[in-house]
Amino acid sequence: MPDNNFTGPKKAQYVEEMFDRISQRYDLLNTIMSGGRHKRWKEIAAQAVAKDLKGIALDVATGTGDIAFSLAKQPNITKVTGIDFSNSMLIIATQKASEYPKNDIEFTRADALSLPFPDNSFICATTGFSLRNVTDIPTCLSEMARVVKPGGRIAILEFTPLLGTGFFPKLFNIYFHQLVPMIGQLVARDKAAYTYLPDSVERFVTAPELKTLMVDCGLVNVNFRHFGLKTVALHTGEIPTT
Ligand SMILES: C[S@@+](CC[C@H](N)C(=O)[O-])C[C@H]1O[C@@H](n2cnc3c(N)ncnc32)[C@H](O)[C@@H]1O
């Protein structure tokens, strides 16, 4: 197994440099790897987090901004802020924003573990395919919870380790651990990044464990659902009003 199992600042630097390298091919690879489904999952996440809420939304570790754009489409979302620490990903997000009909989306460079916003700044916050990349999951969740108002919502969209020894987990593991790095090499010329992807999912918490972490950081009504034959999970939770 390649040496991509870092922790702390070394992991943060590895992740930032990796996304800086692959930014140009990131969207295309997502579409190839998910058979085009990732956009739909992101739309469902935006709908779920913003349902019946009115105000400003935050997308943490926004990358090239897909979830931020989905949030901006929600009827009562008045403005969207997307943050990420990869400059190259933010450049693509900003380019996409210039072609977007609404001008109420802004992208800023920031660390998900130390959000540069006062408490209670947003009505909802999302993060997609990012939580397994941060060096401290509870801190990231607490930061998201801190900046969302009481009664607001948080959504986490992320791959989830596929457990079990049946036919599908075996087949998916071959796809994820053998085919995906080859596709990454062919399309993005970066086998290491697309080897890190399945390895980081394997090391990530299960969906019930993530639910517990969300409850531990004070969120209520925490639930999750699966997509993509249980390879992806969408968790939602609310900030208590009292
Ligand atoms: C797999 S991409 C996901 C991008 C986007 N959310 C999506 O769903 O397509 C992970 C993103 O997380 C960002 N990231 C990871 N750790 C971060 C941190 N501590 N602070 C800010 N961004 C971070 C990376 O730069 C990268 O853009």
Side-chain angles (χ1 to χ4, degrees), residues 49-50 53-59 68 71-72 74 76-82 104-106 117-118 120-126 144 147-149 152-153:
V49 81
L53 297 177
K54 183 176 169 68
I56 306 174
L58 173 69
D59 184 33
L71 284 168
Q74 302 312 308
N76 294 318
I77 293 302
T78 52
K79 185 183 162 189
V80 182
T81 296
D104 48 9
I105 308 173
E106 66 177 21
F117 308 109
N120 307 338
S121 297
F122 301 95
I123 194 62
C124 59
T126 50
M144 290 175 72
V147 299
V148 173
K149 297 175 195 205
R153 223 176 268 125

Side-chain angles (χ1 to χ4, degrees), residues 11-12 15-20 22 26-27 30 38 42 59-68 83-87 89-90 96 109-115 126-135 140 157-159 197:
K11 174 172 176 176
V15 167
E16 184 184 342
E17 287 174 0
M18 181 178 76
F19 283 103
D20 276 342
I22 63 172
Y26 176 78
D27 284 346
N30 277 350
H38 72 110
K42 290 167 179 173
D59 184 33
V60 172
T62 191
T64 57
D66 280 348
I67 299 180
I83 72 101
D84 201 285
F85 67 11
S86 161
N87 270 324
M89 295 291 268
L90 287 177
K96 284 160 73 174
R109 184 166 190 269
D111 187 347
L113 303 185
S114 177
L115 293 172
T126 50
T127 194
F129 302 104
S130 308
L131 208 55
R132 84 202 126 76
N133 293 307
V134 302
T135 54
C140 185
L157 184 66
E158 186 52 279
F159 289 110
L197 165 62

Side-chain angles (χ1 to χ4, degrees), residues 192-211:
Y194 288 88
T195 302
Y196 166 86
L197 165 62
D199 290 353
S200 64
V201 175
E202 208 161 76
R203 291 190 287 264
F204 191 54
V205 291
T206 62
E209 286 167 345
L210 180 54
K211 178 177 175 176

Side-chain angles (χ1 to χ4, degrees), residues 217-237:
C217 93
L219 295 167
V220 294
N221 295 330
V222 178
N223 287 301
F224 64 86
R225 57 186 285 196
H226 287 291
F227 303 121
L229 301 168
K230 287 200 162 184
T231 57
V232 170
L234 171 64
H235 287 69
T236 53

